[in-house]
Amino acid sequence: MPIDRRLLLYINWPLFGLAVILFLIGVLNLYSASGTRLEEGMNMAPFYHRQLLWGAMGLFGMLVFMFFDYRHLKTMAWPLFWTTVVLLVAVFFAGKTIYGARRWLDLGFMNFQPSELAKIAVLIVGARILSREREPLNFIRLAYVLGVGLILAGLIIKQPDLGSGLSILMILGGMILFRGVTAKVFKTCLVAIPCLLPLSWFFLHDYQKQRIMTFLDPTTDPLGAGYHIIQSEIAIGSGGFWGKGFLEGTQSQLRFLPERHTDFAVAVFGEEWGFVGTMVLLILFCVFLYQMVVIARDARGLFGSYLAAGVFFYFFWQILINTGMVLGLMPVVGIPLPFISYGGSATLVNFCLVGLVLNVSMRRFLFKQA
Amino acid sequence: MSDLYNESEQQAPRSGLILLQALILGLFCLFAVRLWYLQIHRGEAYQAQALENQLRQESIPSPRGLIRDRNGDLLAVNEPAYALGIIREDCPDVDRLVHQIAVWTGKDYFELKTLYNKNRKRVKPFEPLIVVPDLTFAQLALVETNKLRWPGLEIQFRPRRLYRYGDLFAHVLGYVAEADEEDMSKRPNLALGDYVGKQGIELMLEDRMRGIKGLTQYQVDVNGRRLKERILKHPQAGHEISLSIDLGLQKLCMDWLSEEAGGVAVMDADTGQLWALATAPSYDSNDFSSGLTSKQWAKLRDDPLHPMQNRVIQSVYPPGSLFKHVVAGAGLRYGMIDPRETVFCPGFVKLGRRVFRCWRAGGHGKVDMNRALVESCDVYFYKLGKKLTVDRMSEFAKAVGFGEKTDIRLPHEKAGNIPTREWKIKRFGESWQGGDNLNMAIGQGFTLVTPLQVVRFFAGIANGGKLLKPLLLKDEKTVVQADIPLRPDQIGLLRQALVDTVEDPHGTCRRIRTKGVTVGGKTGTAQVVRLTDELKALKDDQIPYRFRDHAWMAAIAEKDGRRFAIACLVEHGLHGGSGAGPIIKAVIDYLFLDKVTPNPEERKAKARAVRALSLKHKEKRHAD
């Protein structure tokens, strides 16, 4: 198939550019968080080196996800779904236990986490089901769509991996809201969910309850769980209006801030670049998200719209939860900030999903091919 | 299929698009407001806090309480020790540092790394994770000169337990070691790397001896190096403990036990305080404070004589003839004998078709109770046991403290066993036989006792009938646990029999006679296995170690109002008189004559030979 020139023409270049820019900001921030001011040969250089390597792989993955026609995914939706279910079940029998949880399959050369695949599967299956819905969802249709997500989420929560399981439900839930539900369903949920939420308290592990309690009052455990929140707020707050400058953050440089290269990466950024820099970063993320809305709006066919909406929620929740946590607005949960936090496979998946929406955008004017 | 690609030109739902845009707007507003609040509204306050952040706090370990013997001699003290730790928040490259530590200390890199990985989650931020608990001075000097080049490296001073008589008191004092997960969950004040009592008194009185940690505050530079330090709270040392044990006597007992396996318990018959609680072979408590190597541990574990076993409270043995005093007591208690009444001993007794022999083949002739106890006539007790039956014998034995723990509170005490009819059915599925009564009456068969129970019972005879709780601490109050259910004159009879056993020309305990001291005693032989005729024909020296009988002796001694009871057991020591007697004699000499009788070389040589025999035997079994 010769590549149609229009394909390149219609790529959403702002989204492409923002992904690369955000990634580079992340590497720069990682460089700072790695403590380069220490004596020679004693920094955490491998972190940003490795991150650059993963970024290169991510760009390649992005190109792969742009290359084929995304509409083929429609036929692959259900096979992909069932493959994921089989792999998730296989984890229970053949899975590798790390840190007390069975989440990994040993492929020999690497450990593979089927719950990552499940996040992609739920996007594609969700887009396929929802794009067929002609009316806003009533209770029965809602139960059907949610059921698909619950199968995946249930298997993952059982591993146990509450975080990944919930994020699957949240992605699917976002897509459902995007499709819309009947007024009756909406009103019912509006009343029922806040009532049912307190019940979930009884299903939480002790350490999870502890985290929520610590979130409500971090000073109760200043050396333990509350430590992260306090230190993070100090780091960001002390950044002030202009920030302390690149590589000048005393909190992160003094290593008072834990996990500064992964979950709390934004705190380092906030300290060094101040209110101005952080607002710029926030705006970049908002524009990044807005481009997906544009793609969802302009997509040819509903399947593409829903894919874009799914990817939107994939990023939206992560940004909301991670930044909310770092700013002390939410309990501490281990969710990274896309492109900014250190993490190999996350970077790879992020770029691939950006590739997927770019794929949708570049094919928006293509008509049916023979 | 075609449907897949042939979608209508339907547009994305408008409401959905509005929702997404609203979400972006909401996200922006929420975070923008929060950032403004943190960075602008409260920015200055946080900047001030950021400066304060250069202060850190750290706890200072508290020295454990000292342990002294009854005369004030120090048994356990604390000496300075240096540990090497890593503060991971300060350390830019943990791998490299661990490598360097391995080079400095000669430890295995992978072992250190595993230790680090195992513990890193359990250490609070900015607290050192101890990887080498015990630096030598040479290592300390080496590390100290290089320390500044390794941020995150921390040398921690902490007191280390030193037992001045490592193996003399191992079973009484126990030892300390680094707290494990279980200790920390039980005692929330403990942190990783703290030392905690694991055995003996150290465990028993852990909370009293540990003390209270102090707190220090210091300022750090960019690389985590300490600049200024200020003590916020001084550590408080743990309480001092004085044992009831007498260092000299304990030393003497251990010297006499030498390399034999056995135990000695010496009890003040009026207070219950233990003046010696010796068990051999022993181990060195100090080995544990600096962390036992796997090689040392394997050696302790595989020793056929089990040095970790406290033979005075954790080992149970048939009491042999010592039990005759219990049976005689039961006879008096239930009115089954008149002590003056005589029994004729022809050297054996028949029960059905079985023949029960007296140890003296020719028989003792006519014996009354006193004579039967003094000469240890089996036939007299066979007959008495038959009359009493198991029910009365076990009831009385339990009343005088056998078959249950003495409550000395040292860990892992055993209760021993006093059989009953029900017990035998439950244990063996067989009913109690008449012959079992006879065996029980001479202390063989199913009855099992600890040396500590024996010493408590004999102290009871010495003091006129009070069973006292065995005490290990000097300041503990005397506790009467029970009264021997006999009239004073009846206890007097038992006591007189003990004295006669020492004084009488036919008595079995003549070797412990001591001028100026009223001494009583009783020997016992605890059969290990029923000897076949083939083995019986052998001379003592030729009987294989594991078939040799255990030797018992219990004694009471009194002078000038001071009364003591002593129990001694020597495993496979063959005869009470020769195996245990000299040890008891040495103890009495020490207590009343202030004389330290040295253990003669030939006895030590013999003990070594016996030990060699047991080791050889073990090897042979392994070879099979």
Side-chain angles (χ1 to χ4, degrees):
Chain A
M1 185 184 89
I3 291 185
D4 194 324
R5 234 162 37 87
R6 281 177 302 174
L7 284 178
L8 291 178
L9 212 59
Y10 292 128
I11 286 178
N12 184 321
W13 288 107
L15 182 65
F16 183 98
L18 279 166
V20 174
I21 289 170
L22 286 169
F23 172 74
L24 290 177
I25 291 175
V27 173
L28 210 63
N29 191 53
L30 197 56
Y31 177 81
S32 177
S34 305
T36 46
R37 289 206 306 184
L38 295 174
E39 276 109 308
E40 205 185 333
M42 283 199 192
N43 52 43
M44 303 202 315
F47 278 116
Y48 69 86
H49 282 171
R50 271 184 263 166
Q51 184 75 349
L52 276 172
L53 207 66
W54 280 106
M57 285 170 68
L59 278 173
F60 177 75
M62 185 163 85
L63 292 176
V64 170
F65 269 71
M66 286 163 70
F67 181 70
F68 63 91
D69 189 333
Y70 71 92
R71 284 170 296 184
H72 289 294
L73 289 175
K74 238 177 171 182
T75 40
M76 283 164 56
W78 288 110
L80 180 67
F81 174 79
W82 290 115
T83 309
T84 310
V85 170
V86 168
L87 287 175
L88 285 173
V89 172
V91 167
F92 287 108
F93 299 103
K96 214 166 147 178
T97 307
I98 304 181
Y99 303 128
R102 266 174 179 248
R103 299 176 187 171
W104 290 265
L105 282 177
D106 191 351
L107 297 183
F109 58 97
M110 64 179 284
N111 288 331
F112 171 69
Q113 208 173 337
S115 55
E116 288 300 325
L117 184 63
K119 285 176 193 164
I120 298 179
V122 81
L123 283 175
I124 294 170
V125 172
R128 158 133 203 199
I129 302 172
L130 287 167
S131 62
R132 297 280 190 86
E133 297 291 339
R134 298 288 174 232
E135 301 287 328
L137 304 178
N138 58 22
F139 277 114
I140 296 166
R141 302 306 298 165
L142 178 69
Y144 167 64
V145 180
L146 268 183
V148 169
L150 280 172
I151 291 174
L152 294 174
L155 284 169
I156 293 170
I157 289 172
K158 201 96 207 274
Q159 285 178 354
D161 185 355
L162 187 65
S164 297
L166 286 183
S167 56
I168 288 205
L169 289 180
M170 283 163 65
I171 292 169
L172 190 63
M175 292 170 78
I176 289 170
L177 285 178
F178 179 69
R179 161 65 269 188
V181 290
T182 61
K184 208 169 136 195
V185 173
F186 187 73
K187 281 182 203 152
T188 314
C189 289
L190 214 59
V191 177
I193 290 177
C195 294
L196 291 175
L197 219 54
L199 279 180
S200 64
W201 181 259
F202 300 103
F203 296 98
L204 292 179
H205 289 282
D206 280 344
Y207 73 92
Q208 290 163 336
K209 289 181 190 173
Q210 175 70 40
R211 273 186 193 169
I212 292 170
M213 296 307 289
T214 311
F215 163 68
L216 295 175
D217 184 7
T219 53
T220 50
D221 187 10
L223 282 181
Y227 184 81
H228 289 150
I229 299 174
I230 296 174
Q231 293 299 330
S232 170
E233 282 181 19
I234 294 177
I236 291 185
S238 65
F241 189 73
W242 290 108
K244 297 176 187 169
F246 184 52
L247 299 184
E248 296 296 330
T250 55
Q251 290 310 289
S252 41
Q253 295 299 337
L254 280 173
R255 287 165 305 283
F256 282 102
L257 187 62
E259 311 286 346
R260 60 193 180 281
H261 58 290
T262 55
D263 294 348
F264 284 90
V266 170
V268 177
F269 191 87
E271 185 185 8
E272 298 193 342
W273 298 97
F275 181 71
V276 176
T278 319
M279 283 303 289
V280 169
L281 184 68
L282 181 60
I283 290 167
L284 288 180
F285 267 116
C286 286
V287 178
F288 174 79
L289 287 173
Y290 182 71
Q291 291 311 313
M292 293 188 207
V293 181
V294 170
I295 291 169
R297 185 189 67 201
D298 297 341
R300 212 192 85 88
L302 284 178
F303 182 64
S305 290
Y306 284 100
L307 271 185
V311 175
F312 171 91
F313 280 108
Y314 174 85
F315 285 111
F316 178 79
W317 293 127
Q318 289 189 55
I319 296 166
L320 178 74
I321 295 172
N322 178 279
T323 313
M325 161 184 89
V326 174
L327 296 183
L329 294 169
M330 281 181 192
V332 174
V333 280
I335 286 184
L337 184 62
F339 297 114
I340 304 296
S341 294
Y342 172 75
S345 47
T347 304
L348 188 61
V349 172
N350 291 341
F351 272 116
C352 289
L353 289 179
V354 171
L356 191 62
V357 273
L358 288 176
N359 191 335
V360 174
S361 80
M362 64 204 256
R363 287 184 171 80
R364 72 192 130 129
F365 291 118
L366 288 189
F367 288 88
K368 188 175 71 171
Q369 286 167 338
Chain B
M1 265 320 260
S2 64
D3 173 55
L4 278 176
Y5 300 103
N6 192 14
E7 285 176 303
S8 61
E9 299 289 314
Q10 229 182 332
Q11 287 301 300
R14 261 180 62 85
S15 61
L17 290 169
I18 293 169
L19 171 77
L20 298 193
Q21 291 172 48
L23 285 175
I24 296 174
L25 193 67
L27 182 88
F28 178 83
C29 293
L30 175 72
F31 289 162
V33 167
R34 181 69 176 171
L35 282 171
W36 177 83
Y37 172 77
L38 287 178
Q39 297 189 306
I40 296 174
H41 182 68
R42 299 214 45 210
E44 273 174 39
Y46 278 122
Q47 274 160 22
Q49 251 183 306
L51 288 177
E52 263 175 47
N53 238 343
Q54 285 159 300
L55 294 176
R56 292 187 193 169
Q57 294 187 343
E58 191 182 79
S59 60
I60 314 171
S62 56
R64 282 179 88 77
L66 305 176
I67 303 179
R68 297 174 185 274
D69 88 330
R70 67 178 303 112
N71 304 313
D73 284 322
L74 281 167
L75 306 180
V77 296
N78 305 297
E79 61 170 358
Y82 296 89
L84 209 51
I86 297 175
I87 297 178
R88 66 168 189 276
E89 284 77 10
D90 286 336
C91 184
D93 189 342
V94 171
D95 258 336
R96 271 193 56 165
L97 180 54
V98 173
H99 246 301
Q100 189 59 43
I101 290 172
V103 172
W104 280 329
T105 59
K107 301 215 179 219
D108 183 55
Y109 165 75
F110 291 100
E111 258 176 52
L112 291 177
K113 187 72 191 173
T114 315
L115 185 74
Y116 172 83
N117 286 335
K118 201 180 84 188
N119 290 338
R120 56 178 295 184
K121 288 259 152 80
R122 305 193 300 195
V123 180
K124 286 179 178 169
F126 299 103
E127 296 243 331
L129 186 163
I130 304 293
V131 283
V132 183
D134 197 9
L135 284 179
T136 65
F137 276 101
Q139 287 166 347
L140 176 70
L142 194 61
V143 175
E144 190 76 68
T145 50
N146 286 297
K147 187 175 175 284
L148 281 183
R149 294 204 282 148
W150 293 89
L153 181 69
E154 165 104 344
I155 297 172
Q156 203 183 48
F157 165 83
R158 40 184 196 170
R160 182 181 50 190
R161 201 58 150 173
L162 176 71
Y163 300 97
R164 296 182 65 190
Y165 307 94
D167 55 352
L168 284 191
F169 290 92
H171 289 100
V172 177
L173 296 183
Y175 53 85
V176 294
E178 281 192 32
D180 57 29
E181 204 94 320
E182 207 191 320
D183 300 318
M184 285 188 276
S185 65
K186 260 191 264 173
R187 296 188 167 90
N189 288 339
L190 286 177
L192 202 69
D194 284 354
Y195 281 96
V196 62
K198 294 278 192 178
Q199 274 291 345
I201 294 271
E202 294 273 27
L203 171 62
M204 199 172 116
L205 300 179
E206 168 63 23
D207 293 321
R208 244 164 97 183
M209 274 194 288
R210 193 173 56 235
I212 299 166
K213 287 185 206 169
L215 196 65
T216 176
Q217 190 181 56
Y218 59 96
Q219 208 182 337
V220 289
D221 71 359
V222 176
N223 290 332
R225 296 185 277 233
R226 287 174 189 227
L227 301 175
K228 270 188 229 157
E229 196 161 346
R230 190 161 69 95
I231 290 176
L232 298 181
K233 198 175 108 192
H234 284 276
Q236 229 174 305
H239 284 280
E240 211 174 291
I241 304 284
S242 287
L243 296 185
S244 61
I245 306 280
D246 182 296
L247 170 63
L249 185 62
Q250 180 85 359
K251 225 185 218 166
L252 177 81
C253 292
M254 291 302 280
D255 178 47
W256 270 89
L257 283 169
S258 176
E259 290 184 41
E260 284 174 279
V264 184
V266 181
M267 184 187 261
D268 182 320
D270 290 296
T271 63
Q273 291 200 352
L274 293 165
W275 282 49
L277 195 68
T279 171
S282 186
Y283 61 90
D284 190 340
S285 295
N286 290 311
D287 292 346
F288 288 86
S289 354
S290 42
L292 212 56
T293 63
S294 49
K295 216 167 139 193
Q296 282 173 311
W297 173 243
K299 201 174 158 231
L300 277 177
R301 190 192 52 204
D302 297 337
D303 191 319
L305 294 184
H306 306 294
M308 300 283 285
Q309 177 97 355
N310 185 342
R311 291 178 154 78
V312 184
I313 63 164
Q314 290 171 8
S315 298
V316 294
Y317 309 91
S321 300
L322 299 182
F323 203 62
K324 286 172 181 165
H325 277 265
V326 179
V327 176
L332 293 168
R333 165 92 179 96
Y334 301 107
M336 306 299 261
I337 41 165
D338 177 346
R340 283 158 305 181
E341 190 184 317
T342 58
V343 162
F344 183 75
C345 165
F348 62 90
V349 148
K350 275 192 182 165
L351 185 82
R353 272 182 299 168
R354 285 177 68 190
V355 177
F356 289 80
R357 295 188 182 282
C358 186
W359 68 268
R360 184 187 280 177
H364 290 88
K366 268 165 55 169
V367 291
D368 62 4
M369 192 185 87
N370 182 277
R371 201 106 299 271
L373 283 170
V374 169
E375 296 188 26
S376 206
C377 172
D378 291 334
V379 168
Y380 182 91
F381 286 96
Y382 287 145
K383 291 190 171 164
L384 180 54
K386 197 177 156 195
K387 251 201 226 169
L388 281 166
T389 74
V390 58
D391 308 313
R392 291 197 185 90
M393 280 191 285
S394 59
E395 190 184 325
F396 188 79
K398 283 176 182 169
V400 296
F402 291 100
E404 62 178 81
K405 295 182 183 177
T406 66
D407 198 22
I408 187 172
R409 294 201 357 242
L410 284 179
H412 314 300
E413 191 190 357
K414 286 266 168 62
N417 184 46
I418 295 298
T420 59
R421 290 178 200 276
E422 300 78 45
W423 173 85
K424 195 184 172 195
I425 288 172
K426 223 170 123 186
R427 174 75 174 75
F428 294 105
E430 282 172 26
S431 61
W432 191 267
Q433 308 288 317
D436 292 335
N437 287 332
L438 272 51
N439 269 330
M440 186 175 176
I442 61 161
Q444 304 292 352
F446 309 120
T447 308
L448 295 170
V449 302
T450 67
L452 189 63
Q453 290 166 339
V454 169
V455 82
R456 179 175 60 172
F457 172 63
F458 280 87
I461 294 178
N463 66 27
K466 289 193 280 289
L467 289 176
L468 302 174
K469 177 176 163 174
L471 305 178
L472 276 171
L473 302 183
K474 204 179 164 189
D475 56 6
E476 265 184 300
K477 286 226 170 63
T478 302
V479 177
V480 179
Q481 291 175 315
D483 288 308
I484 297 178
L486 289 175
R487 294 195 311 268
D489 62 299
Q490 293 171 321
I491 292 174
L493 288 174
L494 295 178
R495 187 173 170 282
Q496 191 55 45
L498 285 172
V499 174
D500 291 344
T501 310
V502 175
E503 297 295 334
D504 192 280
H506 299 287
T508 50
C509 290
R510 286 181 60 77
R511 73 171 69 221
I512 64 172
R513 273 184 309 164
T514 307
K515 223 174 169 185
V517 186
T518 314
V519 178
K522 182 83 194 80
T523 57
T525 305
Q527 258 182 23
V528 174
V529 288
R530 193 174 299 250
L531 290 186
T532 57
D533 289 339
E534 188 190 347
L535 286 170
K536 268 185 196 163
L538 292 173
K539 276 201 202 135
D540 285 352
D541 287 355
Q542 291 162 334
I543 303 174
Y545 180 72
R546 70 182 159 124
F547 293 132
R548 297 183 185 184
D549 295 331
H550 298 319
W552 270 115
M553 189 182 277
I556 58 175
E558 179 177 351
K559 186 192 174 189
D560 303 333
R562 292 167 73 219
R563 296 187 281 208
F564 285 90
I566 309 149
C568 174
L569 177 119
V570 178
E571 282 187 13
H572 308 290
L574 288 165
H575 304 294
S578 59
I583 302 180
I584 299 245
K585 171 70 176 151
V587 171
I588 294 172
D589 285 350
Y590 178 92
L591 286 172
F592 295 98
L593 307 182
D594 246 345
K595 195 169 101 185
V596 176
T597 319
N599 184 3
E601 267 316 307
E602 60 263 38
R603 193 180 157 101
K604 283 188 179 169
K606 220 165 148 189
R608 272 193 290 277
V610 166
R611 184 180 165 85
L613 207 66
S614 72
L615 287 169
K616 213 167 97 193
H617 171 68
K618 164 113 179 169
E619 273 162 25
K620 208 175 136 226
R621 265 205 299 201
H622 272 292
D624 294 343

